[in-house]
Amino acid sequence: MEAATSTKVPKILVIATLSGGYAGADYVGQQHLHYATNTSILPVRCPSMFSEDFYINAFEKGIDGIIVMYSGTDSPYKGGPERTAQIIDNTYKQMQERGLNTRRLRLAAICTVCKKPFLKQVKEMNETLDEIGFVQDELAGKGDG
Amino acid sequence: MDINKIKADALVVGGGIAGMQSALDLADQGYQVVLVEKDPSIGGKMIQLSKVFPTLDCCSCITTPKMSAVANHANIQTLTYCEVQSIDNADGHFVAQILKKPRYVDEDDCTGCRQCEYVCPIDVPSVFDLNMTARRAIRVPFSTAVPQLAVLDIENCILCGKCARACPADAVDFTQTAYEIELEVDAIVLATGFETTPIDAKKEYGAGNLHNVIDGLMMERLLAPTGPYARVLRPGDGKEPESIAYVQCAGSRDETLGVEYCSRVCCMYAIKQAMLIAGALPMADITLYYMDIRAFGKGYDQFYQNAQAMGIEFVKGKVAKITEDENQNPVVRVELIDEGQVVERTHDMIVLSVGMVPQYNPGSVYSVGVGEYGFIKSPAPNISSTETNRSGIFATGAATAPMDIVDSIASASAAASGAAAHLEAVQGGN
Amino acid sequence: MTETSDLKNEEIKIGVYTCYCGGNISDVVKCEKVADALREMPNVVVSRTNMAMCSDVGQSIIEEDIKSKGLNRVIVGACAPSLHEQTFRGTVSRAGLNPYLYHHVGLREQNSWVHGNNPGEATKKAIRLMLAGLAKARLLKPLDAIKLEAEVHALVIGGGVAGLRSAYDIARRGIRVTLIEKTPFLGGRMAQLETVFPTNNQAREDLHDLIEKVTQHPNITLYTSAEMVGYGGYIGNYEVQIRQQSRGVSGDIAEAALAACTQEIPDEFNYGLTKRKVIYRAYEGCYPSDPAVDWEHYDGKPLDIDGKEVVFENTIKTFDLKVGAIVMATGFNPYEPPKGDYGYGELPEVVTLPQFIRYMGFRESSDELTWNGRPVRDIAVIHCVGSRHVAGVHDPQPDGILNNYCSRVCCTAALHQVNELREEFPQLNVYDFYNDIRTYGLEHEAYYKEASQNMVRFLRFHVDERPEVAAAPAGDTHPVLVKGKDYLTNGLEIEAAVDLVILAVGIIPNPVPELVDLMKIPVGDDRFLLEVHPKLRPVETPVPGVVLAGTAQSPMNIQESCNAASAAAAKVSALLAKGQVILEPFVAKVDLEKCDGTGKCVEVCEYEDAIAVKTITIDGKEVQRAVVTPANCSGCGNCVSACPNKAVEVQGWEVAQFEAMVEALAMEVEA
């Protein structure tokens, strides 16, 4: 496995709402635009279902960056976006307590035809991860090197 | 003989995209529908296509689920390999006499395993692949056919019996004969579709005798993943073409052919094919000779703009003549309108963007009115385009005018709406 | 931590299918490698590929495997779940499996179509996504769809030809329809036309036939001057609020009020070419025939009617309706060029085609065509004004969007008008500046041919060399000069001196931002309302039970609008004719063993009576537990994250399933 680390790329998890980010990602696909392959997109109804520990657990499992693409003010769910924003905020605090760089977690409102914002989010997360490195190193070493 | 009498609410004639959509929309409203298709499989022209504009969805991905939905719908009975012989009025109902043509294969027993096809010694040109490949005399019509049943074409059969011996279900039956089915319904939707203008119609374009001049539908097959060579090759010599040109309006907007109208789909399918070829053969030069690019639908002009950005060459010019050189390379003689000069250009392959003509004359069986060009005509084309001059008979899709898939589907749902309202009126409730 | 599957004693047997999608996936992703990788995984009984899993053949393979191999979970990696998830739920259900034991993985829109430049990594990603799908599949539970009574009643928004057509078709199926029109009169844009292609019928005659059918239909209730202002509920059970302004004048004093009114404003029916009173009829013969007060412009001053001073009051009425489905027939506006573009708004001799059609409608007929009192002998028509815009050549609209689409109707409409003019005024000389002539319909080409044979001079411009319109120098024979290059004659510079310029303007959607906000209907890049898929679900929006009719969706001519409207009616009828809608079971479910009635879930839930703490009896003891009312639950999951005991889940979207997927995604994949 050591040899593999040289080609290892950071893993980005995208949590995307069916009414927003997930449809937006499909739209990007329909336009045949390109983005990095290290992204895996999981559809959700509304990310308000995830509590803080879901994100912390994901980092601990080895996910290097998470983009939560919610529907913002376009959400079909009353109170969902507000609650999501609150949970993400709380998660930032927990990440700081554990020495995790909070830039690993992003919340972005992505609509069904938001192709540019979608691509921008993926690109910026990759740039961030290039800069701050793998989550495992952060969890294990904390500032080694 | 009761078994050959059926009662239903509606008859849909034609199992292409329009007929399937009409049948589904009626069935979803709770009406019992009988769908009659003259070919051994439903799917129509659409199932032959490669990918579809402007989304570039694989055509199969749109068509096959609809075929499957038709086949599995509890309210739809599909009669393939059948033709409507006559329509009578009886007690306010329509009574259709339908001829069931013999498949020479028992439909209840056949499992579509294709063992018959593998052992059949007779190869005949495949109409599905526009004669670019061969098929067997007995075969399942194509890989995604619905139903998955073999059909034997008796004219080419030598009665060697190999298929019958190979069939694990003992389903081959050389003695099968045609029979009649009597169907009573209260509404009819005609979705009899179109044919392309024949490739040999135009003398100036070689009358079908030039080796490397094909038509748009043939190119669809070449580009389809299930196509004859699984890649784009010149049919003349199997060479990979480096320069491909499209001749637009080859069989539309042409008085000499009696097709004065615009066929509405050719610009878009040519642009789409050009984009697909550019993907398959990145080094090839692709040119479209056109008079007007008619990219009018939702997302179509943007699609055209993308094609221009990909480097596909759009040349405004009317192609006067196509000949071929000693290497069987087609040579176009074209008036370049922007430059104001006539030139001859040699390509490796030419695709004629052929147009659409009616498939079927409904006059004798259905007594519905047709327009100047043979398409079924509505007495109120703007407000009620799917009505015909006969109450209870509706027409939809390319049977009424050339139209693309998107417009055919809208028209098909509209016809279903009209037929449903008619059924509600004559039956007084569903 | 000993979470086990519901099917406790049953071994989990999963079938995995990777679709080629006719090359759409397999041209990039090595589908066989994906299938091989999945085959090795625990619980996977069979792993196959097919050219098109969604075809009948593909579906039959799954059905056969379920029956012969006893599969109890199925995953397919194919196109987006929005396209074929339902298809495969149907497939597994036909083979006797609960439809929610199916899981769909998107390998096309989110993989092969975006990673065509990197096939190796795309294959690895496909394996990763499929492994995540497999992880979820292991934890899937059978679910039952929720069946609810539906209101057999549809709301149609918009009283133009599409709304009328839709309302009529739905009503004829025995379904109650409420049609609302925000102006005081029915008919929409079609009422503003004169003769129409391809029939050459009088537009208002055709329209009035339809209006008569609609207004006489017993199933249709009509509200003019009415708008939807409130919206809630869900498919089959929408609760909407309608606000209706009063007409202002009633029957007996209508004519007197009309006569007495003197306040005038530009008449929008004639696109501002004439004026009308603020108590008005849209046009002679309009429906309803009673005049209406234009509340936006009425100055509130009393009118002298039969010696009495009368002040008109707008009594606004607001009421609620329960409807099962909603048809959006909100229509279009003609594009209005910015001031100065082609001289529009600066030179009085520059008009749009819709304006000119109105002019021909209201002018006194005479042997000579005049404009502003001057005889018109030479006309220029310019196509693609407001359509087919190209970045770098045209400026974006004020909202930053470029009108890069074709408006579909303008070519034929312009040539239809030109031919009528040439017929009525044979001396008229017409220059037609175009880029492509798009007379695409069966009988449309005839208009082009007629114009060509009828001495209309066609001049073809390149999109980056648009014709220029300028005032002619003083003393010139004509008031306006149109300059351009004609590429039908080798780029010859043309200067046409004309008396009138007609701009064949395009179609832009009638903006309905309030409705879009309220209903969360997506809007496309071109600002038109967006359908789910142009071929699979062409008139449906992602909002269940909300469908599109006519030019709210894209430019269309009358025939196309009516077809789309009838198609929308077919979808509404299919939905409501049964009187019942079936909803996905994706709602909150409480584990009564874990719940101890904290009520945290209720605090975060914003849906009326969706979840509540109630006293229930368990094992003879009265306890406080959270109880869900499925019909009122949106399935958002607010309660899930709020519960301190992790006692709530959204069925089909359980946190444990996500945790399993994340674990799969975090693993390294070899390919």
Side-chain angles (χ1 to χ4, degrees):
Chain A
M1 290 303 284
E2 260 122 81
T5 49
S6 59
T7 57
K8 200 179 135 187
V9 284
K11 297 186 189 73
I12 298 174
L13 170 66
V14 181
I15 300 283
T17 53
L18 284 170
S19 62
Y22 200 79
D26 283 345
Y27 192 67
V28 169
Q30 285 155 15
Q31 315 261 324
H32 297 247
L33 303 169
H34 291 157
Y35 55 89
T37 55
N38 62 344
T39 43
S40 306
I41 308 174
L42 295 183
V44 287
R45 295 166 70 78
C46 179
S48 66
M49 68 177 280
F50 298 122
S51 55
E52 297 79 0
D53 54 356
F54 174 78
Y55 300 106
I56 301 293
N57 288 344
F59 288 126
E60 284 173 350
K61 281 171 187 156
I63 299 292
D64 299 289
I66 304 177
I67 312 172
V68 179
M69 296 186 176
Y70 75 149
S71 305
T73 52
D74 285 342
S75 173
Y77 302 112
K78 284 188 272 187
E82 294 79 1
R83 181 152 176 80
T84 302
Q86 164 109 61
I87 292 169
I88 297 290
D89 233 29
N90 296 342
T91 310
Y92 285 143
K93 290 186 198 112
Q94 296 195 13
M95 289 172 75
Q96 278 167 343
E97 286 163 15
R98 281 157 211 260
L100 280 168
N101 194 322
T102 55
R103 290 164 71 199
R104 294 189 186 281
L105 177 62
R106 272 175 168 235
L107 177 65
I110 301 287
C111 72
T112 52
V113 289
C114 285
K115 55 188 181 199
K116 280 182 189 156
F118 175 93
L119 295 172
K120 181 169 169 273
Q121 286 298 330
V122 171
K123 182 165 169 276
E124 288 179 0
M125 180 56 88
N126 264 302
E127 286 165 0
T128 300
L129 295 180
D130 283 347
E131 187 192 323
I132 65 177
F134 292 101
V135 72
Q136 299 292 26
D137 300 340
E138 203 167 79
L139 285 166
K142 283 186 195 166
D144 116 310
Chain B
M1 292 304 279
D2 280 355
I3 199 157
N4 291 341
K5 281 194 177 183
I6 310 173
K7 269 191 185 181
D9 296 310
L11 161 65
V12 175
V13 185
I17 184 63
M20 291 194 292
Q21 188 65 52
S22 280
L24 287 170
D25 282 333
L26 279 165
D28 282 346
Q29 294 184 51
Y31 292 109
Q32 297 295 317
V33 181
V34 171
L35 176 70
V36 170
E37 166 57 48
K38 69 173 169 30
D39 286 336
S41 169
I42 56 172
K45 288 277 186 299
M46 187 174 167
I47 193 65
Q48 286 177 277
L49 308 181
S50 54
K51 291 183 182 176
V52 286
F53 58 81
T55 53
L56 289 182
D57 279 308
C58 98
C59 194
S60 203
C61 305
I62 311 293
T63 327
T64 54
K66 298 226 190 218
M67 292 161 73
S68 179
V70 165
N72 292 311
H73 205 297
N75 295 343
I76 302 176
Q77 184 177 358
T78 307
L79 301 177
T80 52
Y81 219 37
C82 282
E83 284 179 35
V84 178
Q85 305 282 294
S86 66
I87 297 283
D88 290 309
N89 266 56
D91 302 331
H93 307 291
F94 294 109
V95 177
Q97 296 298 331
I98 298 166
L99 183 76
K100 172 78 183 171
K101 298 179 276 189
R103 276 178 188 269
Y104 301 101
V105 169
D106 189 307
E107 295 196 359
D108 295 330
D109 294 341
C110 176
T111 63
C113 72
R114 299 187 159 203
Q115 295 303 318
C116 54
E117 187 172 339
Y118 303 146
V119 299
C120 176
I122 302 298
D123 282 332
V124 291
S126 163
V127 176
F128 188 76
D129 277 334
L130 300 146
N131 301 339
M132 291 184 288
T133 53
R135 61 155 172 83
R136 297 289 162 80
I138 186 167
R139 80 287 176 193
V140 172
F142 48 92
S143 61
T144 51
V146 172
Q148 279 283 305
L149 297 175
V151 57
L152 169 67
D153 109 49
I154 203 80
E155 293 94 78
N156 293 302
C157 176
I158 55 166
L159 296 174
C160 69
K162 282 189 177 166
C163 53
R165 288 192 293 278
C167 178
D170 204 15
V172 179
D173 176 4
F174 297 107
T175 66
Q176 224 178 42
T177 50
Y179 61 93
E180 289 221 336
I181 299 168
E182 192 178 289
L183 170 69
E184 187 183 302
V185 292
D186 288 324
I188 298 174
V189 177
L190 299 176
T192 50
F194 71 98
E195 270 309 326
T196 52
T197 45
I199 189 171
D200 53 4
K202 206 160 165 71
K203 188 167 59 57
E204 295 83 350
Y205 293 169
N209 296 322
L210 302 176
H211 290 84
N212 293 308
V213 176
I214 64 171
D215 70 17
L217 205 50
M218 291 165 85
M219 184 53 95
E220 288 292 335
R221 293 306 305 149
L222 290 180
L223 287 164
T226 55
Y229 324 126
R231 54 199 281 216
V232 177
L233 298 173
R234 306 213 301 185
D237 51 12
K239 187 186 136 194
E240 194 164 271
E242 285 164 17
S243 156
I244 299 166
Y246 280 81
V247 174
Q248 296 307 107
C249 298
S252 304
R253 302 175 68 188
D254 189 335
E255 275 174 60
T256 65
L257 299 177
V259 184
E260 293 180 55
Y261 52 85
C262 164
S263 289
R264 201 163 163 160
V265 298
C266 334
C267 281
M268 288 304 292
Y269 79 60
I271 295 170
K272 170 202 72 184
Q273 290 182 0
M275 286 169 86
L276 295 176
I277 295 168
L281 304 170
M283 302 309 290
D285 294 323
I286 308 164
T287 308
L288 261 94
Y289 298 108
Y290 73 98
M291 291 307 293
D292 298 278
I293 289 292
R294 295 186 166 169
F296 55 82
K298 185 165 184 168
Y300 292 7
D301 212 64
Q302 297 90 317
F303 192 78
Y304 169 39
Q305 290 176 14
N306 291 346
Q308 289 171 296
M310 280 173 76
I312 291 157
E313 189 191 15
F314 288 83
V315 176
K316 175 136 175 126
K318 183 73 189 159
V319 172
K321 203 172 172 58
I322 307 172
T323 50
E324 65 182 18
D325 68 11
E326 63 283 5
N327 299 319
Q328 299 183 347
N329 296 316
V331 180
V332 293
R333 187 176 169 81
V334 58
E335 185 192 348
L336 303 178
I337 292 180
D338 280 358
E339 284 82 25
Q341 52 176 322
V342 176
V343 296
E344 289 202 339
R345 284 198 188 175
T346 305
H347 298 279
D348 291 339
M349 193 168 174
I350 298 271
V351 183
L352 300 179
S353 291
V354 291
M356 291 164 90
V357 292
Q359 148 102 250
Y360 171 76
N361 180 358
S364 58
V365 174
Y366 302 95
S367 309
V368 293
V370 298
E372 184 182 359
Y373 305 109
F375 292 100
I376 303 172
K377 193 174 168 65
S378 162
N382 275 335
I383 303 293
S384 309
S385 79
T386 62
E387 285 180 7
T388 69
N389 57 334
R390 283 189 74 183
S391 171
I393 303 187
F394 300 82
T396 180
T400 63
M403 59 178 81
D404 62 28
I405 296 164
V406 171
D407 290 336
S408 290
I409 290 173
S411 163
S413 293
S417 210
H422 177 81
L423 289 170
E424 178 85 18
V426 299
Q427 298 179 341
N430 187 4
Chain C
M1 296 298 283
T2 50
E3 190 76 25
T4 51
S5 157
D6 262 13
L7 307 167
K8 281 181 187 112
N9 301 319
E10 200 179 350
E11 185 194 347
I12 291 180
K13 294 182 179 175
I14 306 179
V16 180
Y17 303 87
T18 307
C19 184
Y20 277 39
C21 195
N24 271 315
I25 295 172
S26 58
D27 285 352
V28 176
V29 171
K30 290 194 169 61
C31 295
E32 297 305 329
K33 273 198 174 176
V34 177
D36 291 345
L38 269 289
R39 197 173 293 120
E40 306 303 315
M41 294 296 144
N43 304 104
V44 174
V45 172
V46 60
S47 175
R48 301 185 196 271
T49 60
N50 189 273
M51 185 56 90
M53 284 311 306
C54 58
S55 68
D56 212 47
V57 177
Q59 293 186 53
S60 301
I61 293 171
I62 298 175
E63 285 180 61
E64 187 52 37
D65 283 349
I66 291 172
K67 288 175 190 157
S68 66
K69 300 184 193 298
L71 302 182
N72 50 26
R73 302 285 190 286
V74 170
I75 65 173
V76 175
C79 57
S82 58
L83 300 179
H84 283 323
E85 187 173 52
Q86 288 306 334
T87 309
F88 293 113
R89 285 208 200 287
T91 311
V92 301
S93 150
R94 280 200 303 280
L97 209 59
N98 181 286
Y100 298 96
L101 296 176
Y102 171 75
H103 181 65
H104 195 98
V105 180
L107 295 182
R108 190 178 76 168
E109 282 80 352
Q110 298 185 7
N111 192 355
S112 65
W113 273 359
V114 287
H115 304 316
N117 54 344
N118 197 345
E121 286 301 318
T123 300
K124 278 195 207 172
K125 175 168 170 177
I127 294 172
R128 214 160 60 219
L129 291 171
M130 290 296 276
L131 289 175
L134 184 67
K136 175 162 184 176
R138 290 193 185 102
L139 300 176
L140 289 174
K141 294 171 186 165
L143 300 172
D144 292 320
I146 300 167
K147 289 179 182 162
L148 294 172
E149 295 287 303
E151 287 292 328
V152 186
H153 182 185
L155 173 69
V156 176
I157 304 178
V161 68
L164 292 164
R165 179 79 243 184
S166 231
Y168 182 53
D169 285 347
I170 298 168
R172 288 199 296 165
R173 282 288 285 110
I175 295 166
R176 211 147 57 83
V177 180
T178 296
L179 173 67
I180 60 170
E181 161 58 42
K182 77 167 187 241
T183 73
F185 304 97
L186 293 182
R189 294 289 172 199
M190 186 172 167
Q192 290 171 282
L193 302 177
E194 296 300 310
T195 62
V196 287
F197 66 83
T199 55
N200 298 331
N201 288 357
Q202 281 292 329
R204 284 185 296 277
E205 283 177 20
D206 282 359
L207 185 63
H208 290 173
D209 285 348
L210 184 59
I211 288 178
E212 200 166 314
K213 288 174 182 163
V214 166
T215 54
Q216 289 177 2
H217 204 288
N219 287 347
I220 301 177
T221 311
L222 183 71
Y223 298 100
T224 52
S225 306
E227 289 176 271
M228 187 179 98
V229 293
Y231 163 91
Y234 44 87
I235 181 171
N237 292 275
Y238 283 111
E239 287 165 27
V240 301
Q241 195 172 46
I242 309 293
R243 190 177 66 195
Q244 188 184 28
Q245 309 195 60
S246 58
R247 212 155 179 88
V249 284
S250 57
D252 49 340
I253 66 154
E255 295 307 322
L258 200 58
C261 177
T262 53
Q263 189 199 343
E264 287 194 325
I265 60 149
D267 184 356
E268 71 279 359
F269 187 78
N270 287 334
Y271 296 105
L273 294 177
T274 58
K275 291 193 162 179
R276 67 156 166 83
K277 297 178 176 184
V278 293
I279 298 175
Y280 72 111
R281 288 193 177 96
Y283 57 93
E284 277 315 308
C286 60
Y287 185 91
S289 57
D290 270 351
V293 177
D294 175 351
W295 299 113
E296 197 191 333
H297 296 103
Y298 170 53
D299 57 15
K301 289 185 184 149
L303 259 64
D304 182 348
I305 297 173
D306 297 334
K308 268 194 281 186
E309 299 252 297
V310 180
V311 174
F312 298 97
E313 300 281 352
N314 186 6
T315 328
I316 293 174
K317 190 168 78 176
T318 306
F319 54 95
D320 296 329
L321 287 179
K322 288 193 93 174
V323 296
I326 301 175
V327 179
M328 302 293 290
T330 51
F332 77 97
N333 287 330
Y335 171 83
E336 186 172 9
K339 194 165 186 279
D341 207 19
Y342 297 107
Y344 181 79
E346 288 176 351
L347 304 177
E349 294 83 9
V350 178
V351 289
T352 66
L353 178 61
Q355 284 179 319
F356 187 73
I357 291 171
R358 290 309 321 132
Y359 176 70
M360 293 307 287
F362 68 69
R363 70 184 273 277
E364 302 284 329
S365 93
S366 71
D367 294 346
E368 193 177 47
L369 181 66
T370 59
W371 182 261
N372 282 346
R374 288 187 71 248
V376 175
R377 299 209 173 84
D378 299 280
I379 285 186
V381 176
I382 302 177
H383 289 251
C384 291
V385 177
S387 303
R388 302 183 65 193
H389 283 177
V390 175
V393 176
H394 301 88
D395 293 330
Q397 297 301 295
D399 59 6
I401 294 174
L402 201 65
N403 282 5
N404 60 357
Y405 56 88
C406 168
S407 290
R408 210 164 164 144
V409 299
C410 353
C411 277
T412 313
L415 296 181
H416 169 69
Q417 180 63 68
V418 161
N419 290 342
E420 284 196 341
L421 279 176
R422 287 274 309 153
E423 194 169 315
E424 198 176 347
F425 309 105
Q427 304 307 317
L428 205 64
N429 183 32
V430 181
Y431 301 93
D432 186 293
F433 292 84
Y434 77 103
N435 179 6
D436 295 287
I437 292 290
R438 293 184 165 174
T439 43
Y440 60 85
L442 178 60
E443 286 151 320
H444 301 187
E445 185 76 5
Y447 292 98
Y448 187 17
K449 194 174 147 195
E450 185 187 335
S452 310
Q453 289 171 346
N454 203 1
M455 304 298 287
V456 172
R457 180 155 179 205
F458 285 94
L459 304 152
R460 181 170 185 264
F461 62 84
H462 279 181
V463 78
D464 51 353
E465 292 171 313
R466 296 194 291 158
E468 288 170 17
V469 178
D476 206 301
T477 51
H478 294 72
V480 183
L481 296 177
V482 183
K483 286 186 215 173
K485 281 188 182 169
D486 172 28
Y487 283 92
L488 296 178
T489 51
N490 199 10
L492 190 69
E493 299 262 5
I494 298 287
E495 189 173 88
V498 297
D499 302 300
L500 187 65
V501 177
I502 300 175
L503 306 178
V505 294
I507 276 179
I508 56 172
N510 172 30
V512 285
E514 308 81 15
L515 295 181
V516 163
D517 261 13
L518 214 52
M519 304 168 76
K520 314 293 181 203
I521 305 174
V523 172
D525 274 353
D526 51 10
R527 302 186 215 88
F528 288 92
L529 301 182
L530 192 60
E531 68 286 340
V532 176
H533 186 278
K535 296 184 182 72
L536 290 173
R537 293 169 65 192
V539 295
E540 289 158 87
T541 72
V543 186
V546 177
V547 297
L548 305 175
T551 51
Q553 184 182 10
S554 78
M556 294 182 190
N557 63 32
I558 296 167
Q559 180 190 81
E560 292 153 356
S561 291
C562 285
N563 276 352
S566 295
K571 302 299 170 196
V572 169
S573 301
L575 177 67
L576 299 183
K578 298 180 203 97
Q580 187 189 49
V581 291
I582 294 167
L583 299 185
E584 299 274 30
F586 306 139
V587 293
K589 187 182 180 183
V590 178
D591 182 336
L592 295 177
E593 287 179 21
K594 289 186 190 168
C595 174
D596 60 9
T598 64
K600 293 280 181 206
C601 49
V602 185
E603 284 171 28
V604 296
C605 180
E606 302 208 9
Y607 289 85
E608 198 77 26
D609 198 27
I611 193 163
V613 176
K614 292 181 182 169
T615 308
I616 59 169
T617 312
I618 296 179
D619 298 333
K621 268 198 296 187
E622 291 209 333
V623 290
Q624 299 282 302
R625 293 289 183 267
V627 177
V628 177
T629 307
N632 296 334
C633 175
S634 72
C636 67
N638 269 11
C639 53
V640 176
S641 56
C643 178
N645 300 328
K646 296 193 188 300
V648 200
E649 288 289 1
V650 174
Q651 299 192 103
W653 299 85
E654 298 182 12
V655 174
Q657 295 168 346
F658 277 96
E659 283 172 344
M661 284 194 279
V662 171
E663 194 157 320
L665 292 174
M667 290 192 298
E668 293 297 326
V669 163
E670 309 289 328

